[in-house]
Amino acid sequence: MLGTEFCSKDVPAQDRFEYWKEVVGRTRACDMGSVHADDFQAEGRLMELGPATVVTATFLPTRFQRDPVMVRRFDQEVYHLSLLVEGKMALEHAGRADSFGPGDLHLADSSRSFDLRSTDGPLRRTLTVLGVDLPKALLPFPSHRVHELLGRGMSGIDGTGALLADFLIGIERHAPTLQPSDAPRLSTALVDLMSAWLAQLLNTPAVLEPETHRRVTVQSVKAFIRQHLHDPALTPSVIAAAHHVSLSYLHRIFQQQAQGETVAAWIRARRLEGARGDLADPSLRGTPIYAIGARWGFLRADDFARAFRAAHGVSPRDFRHQCMAESA
């Protein structure tokens, strides 16, 4: 498992809000208050990814304030990135005020004051936030350019912002099966995606290192493949055209970043994973096997059967029977 979990229910009710303040204080020094402090609820995970820290948290409405005195006393020289997954929040920071909803990203600078709060008022409705603290020195942008983005609501559902948001959600989802040894690789990917996201917003793609650009392009290609796995017309040529690169360049960078695996092989593996999950799903046992294969891009039943047997050593039919027997 990657990171350490925290849950307010692990401490007595009267200590839960103080516990929440202690957890937040490990990464962000600020004053905190909540109308629900007497009966507080919060849970999540704290993950150290090399120089970056990722926090996933679900909590009752809280107000976070950092004043100039705190900035002078304790400045980590980091950027705070937050993805709001559930709830509504408002931020006053760097001379701007904006509000955020699910799917929005916002950026803050530890060297500046901020006032971040839930806008649900006294309602006892939880918020879910994925947060990143990343040293400024790791990003190839001068502070005066990043200042243009501070305190603004930015989309996490399209462009490079969607890649970044999906990556953070993926870390949170797979944290129970990730290991501390995975942290360096995840840290590199996180820095790459944040750099590409900022470069897109600031319209400065030239500042990205060529290797960073290649890694981000492969991340984008993989996301595109996942979104179009059900389309039998998905081919390397289609992917290259969608990313405005040549087919030879796509093959070259993909194999470099995927330890030699080809684009076509990666597509096939993801499709077979999806089909395997459907075959093992009891709620889909009435769905014909050929229909499951077709849903995952295998239009010919014989092609699906051969590919599945080559990957898993058993036919789709036998695999389904095994799963149903184990379920029973």
Side-chain angles (χ1 to χ4, degrees):
M1 181 179 72
L2 183 63
T4 56
E5 295 180 334
F6 59 87
C7 181
S8 57
K9 293 181 180 179
D10 293 338
V11 299
Q14 66 271 21
D15 298 329
R16 288 174 182 169
F17 190 67
E18 289 301 315
Y19 176 55
W20 171 230
K21 290 168 65 176
E22 177 189 334
V23 170
V24 174
R26 296 175 194 173
T27 61
R28 307 186 184 190
C30 60
D31 285 328
M32 296 169 56
S34 174
V35 296
H36 306 288
D38 293 337
D39 186 16
F40 201 72
Q41 174 186 341
E43 60 182 350
R45 186 186 305 270
L46 181 67
M47 294 172 278
E48 300 288 346
L49 304 182
T53 301
V54 176
V55 180
T56 68
T58 296
F59 53 94
L60 286 173
T62 304
R63 186 171 187 174
F64 309 87
Q65 294 175 291
R66 181 171 168 84
D67 60 24
V69 174
M70 284 188 173
V71 170
R72 290 192 296 270
R73 185 181 304 162
F74 185 69
D75 183 8
Q76 300 163 289
E77 290 289 330
V78 299
Y79 288 121
H80 302 301
L81 171 72
S82 298
L83 168 64
L84 187 57
V85 179
E86 183 179 2
K88 297 178 181 178
M89 301 194 81
L91 173 66
E92 295 180 22
H93 181 56
R96 299 185 185 91
D98 208 344
S99 57
F100 314 94
D104 287 339
L105 293 158
H106 62 269
L107 192 67
D109 184 342
S110 67
S111 302
R112 296 175 177 271
S113 303
F114 64 74
D115 185 348
L116 177 66
R117 62 193 181 279
S118 164
T119 56
D120 281 334
L123 295 177
R124 192 176 173 83
R125 182 181 300 161
T126 59
L127 301 91
T128 300
V129 177
L130 304 183
V132 177
D133 291 343
L134 190 69
K136 299 177 187 178
L138 293 182
L139 298 174
F141 305 94
S143 58
H144 72 275
R145 292 304 315 273
V146 179
H147 180 266
E148 300 171 24
L149 306 176
L150 299 179
R152 287 172 40 189
M154 294 168 283
S155 174
I157 59 175
D158 53 35
T160 311
L163 287 178
L164 178 57
D166 288 347
F167 180 78
L168 294 175
I169 292 170
I171 290 179
E172 190 276 334
R173 181 181 299 128
H174 298 294
T177 59
L178 293 170
Q179 300 300 319
S181 58
D182 296 316
R185 176 176 54 83
L186 295 172
S187 176
T188 298
L190 178 57
V191 173
D192 285 345
L193 287 171
M194 281 194 64
S195 297
W197 175 61
L198 292 173
Q200 182 185 58
L201 292 173
L202 297 172
N203 195 26
T204 56
V207 304
L208 296 181
E209 294 290 336
E211 184 62 18
T212 296
H213 187 271
R214 287 191 288 268
R215 286 195 293 254
V216 172
T217 299
V218 171
Q219 291 280 349
S220 178
V221 164
K222 289 182 175 180
F224 183 86
I225 290 172
R226 292 190 186 97
Q227 292 169 1
H228 297 86
L229 276 178
H230 300 298
D231 183 357
L234 180 67
T235 64
S237 296
V238 170
I239 297 166
H243 288 80
H244 309 291
V245 299
S246 69
L247 184 58
S248 60
Y249 179 76
L250 172 65
H251 284 309
R252 184 169 68 255
I253 65 170
F254 195 92
Q255 288 183 275
Q256 288 173 351
Q257 301 297 326
Q259 291 76 50
E261 189 173 21
T262 66
V263 178
W266 203 84
I267 293 173
R268 178 173 291 241
R270 301 293 81 73
R271 282 174 165 166
L272 289 171
E273 283 178 4
R276 177 188 172 100
D278 284 356
L279 290 169
D281 187 345
S283 68
L284 297 178
R285 59 184 148 194
T287 304
I289 289 175
Y290 73 84
I292 288 177
R295 179 181 177 225
W296 289 99
F298 296 94
L299 297 185
R300 292 170 53 87
D302 290 345
D303 291 343
F304 175 49
R306 280 194 298 270
F308 194 92
R309 182 183 290 276
H312 301 297
V314 64
S315 71
R317 186 178 304 279
D318 289 344
F319 176 77
R320 171 181 266 180
H321 288 163
Q322 291 173 8
C323 293
M324 295 304 110
E326 292 171 2
S327 173

